[in-house]
Structure formats: structure tokens, C-alpha cells
Amino acid sequence: MQRSAFQTRWRRRLSAWALLMAGCGLVAAEPLKVCVSEDSPPQSRVSKGKASGLDVRLAEAVAATLGRPLTIVPFETEFEKESTLTQEVNALLSAGVCDLVSGFPLLQSDLGPASRPSARTPDYPGAKRKRERPFVPLGELVASKAYQAATLGVVLRAGQPPVSGLMDLQGRKVGAVTGTLAGTLVSLYRNGALRGGMVSLSQRESAWSALESGRIDALILPTEAFDAHRLQAPASDLTLATYQRPIGVNLGFVTLASAPADLLQGTNRVLSQVMADGRLKQWAREEGLSWHPPSLPEVSPGPTLVSLVSD
């Protein structure tokens, strides 16, 4: 009996001490876990335990605003018949691997209730082998404010005349990667105005080698792809033309509708602040990213064929 009373008193003292520490801000806050793509520089990259990129800078700002330490969780996804990126991102959130996921395309069809009841997570540090991972019940995805527009640009071989509009590419050898939006744009723009000089490239070919060898003079592709190439090959003399166009899809953070309200509120507050005061644009420049402000509407149905091939 005496021992039981002694234990009870100590439990009460420990509980009171914990409450006091919490009131004084001495209890460590739960880390903010943000999942980022493992190898998508300059948007995000995690190598040898070091995280970098625009998405990481934004995550740091959100964590600081919320008063929580930051844990970056890199993930890697591959196309598989049994799942999509949206379902894998949902699984990461629903499994509690992360609280937020960065760099998510803000498409109407990918937000809201999940299109299937469960999915496996993609690869991330500590994950079991794929076939051993359980199927996670999926929640409802909600998006933050957009912080960047996905954009296509024209990459030129050294010595090519400048390009301020797609019609400037007439008479040149223009690479078109099959199965991509950019390839479709080259093929269909103005009823085939560029088709005479179009050079089809498979997705397995190196478009960079085709440019540098002179097989093609220009290439249309996401500007982020050119930024990544420039980081990997800083001595390359390939250039990004003046002509760059958003495709009607923005990037943002996503979380679950069941997440605490302050998570999304704090994230949106940070995004509004860093866009308004110019920090977002500055961070993008320092990371080597060709940043474009979000287009309206922030959450869109995605590009249509008509909008893609029109000026």
C-alpha cells in the first residue's frame, strides 16, 4: 500500500511538472514532417542526408512559423499500374509518414476524396520492401495556396537566333519528345506550323545530346528540366529562350482534410508572405530555378488541347 501511494504521488508530480514545462514552452514540439521529391533539383533534392531546393526553403519557413522543428522526408516514386503519384502521396499522408507534401500539381481531379480506398506508399527512408508494405486507407487531399506555375520553355543550341514566340522556330529543327505535352505542342501548334522541322525523340533518348550534337536546334520542355540540367552540367552552353509559357497547372503543398487547421493556415500564411515580400522569387533564383508566379485559377482542371496549342 505504501509503495502504491508513493508511486501515485510521483506520477502526480511528474504530470504537474510536464504541465508546467508545457506552459513554459519547454516541452519539445512535434516535428513538422514534410515529404519532398528525393531527386528533383532545383525544386528539391536530398543527397547524403542534406536537403536543398526551393521546396525545402519553403518547408523551413513553414516550420519556423508553426514553431516546430522540421523533418524532411525524401520519397521516390515510379510509374506502376497499381498506383498513381496522387495515390502514393495520399498514402504517405494517411500513413503518418509526413504532414505535408511539396511540389504537388494542383489539379481538381487529384484533390478531394480518394478515387480508391487504399494504396501503398512510395519508397522513403525506413519503408519496407514494396511487396511487404501494407495498403493504407486513403484520406481526402486538400491543397495549400499555389506557389509556382509549371512552365514550358524553349532551349536553344549555342549560336541559334533568339526566340520570343513559337513562330520564330519555323525553319529550324525542333525536338519533340513523344508522349509529352511539349511534343504535342510542337506537332499541333497552329495546325502544324512547326511540323516541317519536327524531329521526334523517344523518352529514352538524351534530348541534351541531340541538342549539343546539332541533330536538333531547339527543344521545348519544362523549364525545371532545363534548370536541373544546368545544375548537372554548368559548363553547357545551351540557353533558355525568352519564350516561356505556363501550361495552366500550379504547384503547391497538400495535406489531409483531417489535419489540424493551423497546419494549412500557417502554410498559406507563409506562402502569401514570401510571395509578397519577394523572398520566394529570390530563393528560386538562388537555387537556380526559373520561377514563374502561379496562374489563375490556382487549382485548375489542367491544360486542354486548345489552350496548349494556342498563343
Side-chain angles (χ1 to χ4, degrees), residues 232-273:
Q232 295 168 355
S236 173
D237 57 3
L238 301 179
T239 60
L240 189 62
T242 303
Y243 176 83
Q244 298 169 37
R245 59 175 288 176
I247 61 172
V249 178
N250 296 315
L251 302 182
F253 288 93
V254 285
T255 187
L256 296 178
S258 58
D262 70 323
L263 177 61
L264 202 55
Q265 291 169 357
T267 301
N268 286 335
R269 187 163 63 251
V270 167
L271 294 177
S272 295
Q273 289 172 346

Side-chain angles (χ1 to χ4, degrees), residues 132-154:
E132 296 176 352
R133 291 176 211 165
F135 280 84
V136 180
L138 301 181
E140 180 179 347
L141 289 182
V142 293
S144 73
K145 289 177 63 65
Y147 58 81
Q148 179 182 335
T151 306
L152 293 178
V154 177

Side-chain angles (χ1 to χ4, degrees), residues 152-158 160-161 163 169 172-175 207-208 211-212 216-227 229 236-244:
L152 293 178
V154 177
V155 181
L156 300 174
R157 184 164 52 86
Q160 285 292 305
V163 172
L169 292 174
R172 307 191 208 185
K173 297 175 290 183
V174 184
W208 310 116
L211 268 172
E212 290 167 346
I216 58 177
D217 301 318
L219 178 69
I220 302 176
L221 79 177
T223 55
E224 293 90 340
F226 173 73
D227 296 335
H229 176 72
S236 173
D237 57 3
L238 301 179
T239 60
L240 189 62
T242 303
Y243 176 83
Q244 298 169 37

Side-chain angles (χ1 to χ4, degrees), residues 102-227:
S102 71
F104 191 83
L106 303 186
L107 295 170
Q108 291 174 357
S109 59
D110 291 339
L111 298 171
S115 60
R116 58 183 291 180
S118 62
R120 286 189 174 110
T121 64
D123 291 334
Y124 67 91
K128 294 181 179 180
R129 289 184 296 178
K130 189 75 173 182
R131 64 176 178 270
E132 296 176 352
R133 291 176 211 165
F135 280 84
V136 180
L138 301 181
E140 180 179 347
L141 289 182
V142 293
S144 73
K145 289 177 63 65
Y147 58 81
Q148 179 182 335
T151 306
L152 293 178
V154 177
V155 181
L156 300 174
R157 184 164 52 86
Q160 285 292 305
V163 172
S164 57
L166 288 182
M167 289 302 290
D168 292 340
L169 292 174
Q170 278 194 310
R172 307 191 208 185
K173 297 175 290 183
V174 184
V177 180
T178 58
T180 65
L181 280 177
T184 301
L185 174 59
V186 175
S187 176
L188 300 181
Y189 179 70
R190 289 199 180 181
N191 296 318
L194 305 179
R195 203 174 295 159
M198 185 176 72
V199 178
S200 295
L201 302 172
S202 75
Q203 295 191 24
R204 294 186 177 183
E205 291 183 78
S206 170
W208 310 116
S209 297
L211 268 172
E212 290 167 346
S213 68
R215 182 183 169 196
I216 58 177
D217 301 318
L219 178 69
I220 302 176
L221 79 177
T223 55
E224 293 90 340
F226 173 73
D227 296 335

Side-chain angles (χ1 to χ4, degrees), residues 77-130:
T77 185
E78 296 180 1
F79 174 76
E80 295 185 359
K81 292 182 179 180
E82 67 176 29
S83 64
T84 64
L85 173 64
T86 299
Q87 291 160 358
E88 291 183 334
V89 164
N90 196 320
L92 287 169
L93 293 163
S94 298
V97 175
C98 46
D99 305 304
L100 289 169
V101 180
S102 71
F104 191 83
L106 303 186
L107 295 170
Q108 291 174 357
S109 59
D110 291 339
L111 298 171
S115 60
R116 58 183 291 180
S118 62
R120 286 189 174 110
T121 64
D123 291 334
Y124 67 91
K128 294 181 179 180
R129 289 184 296 178
K130 189 75 173 182

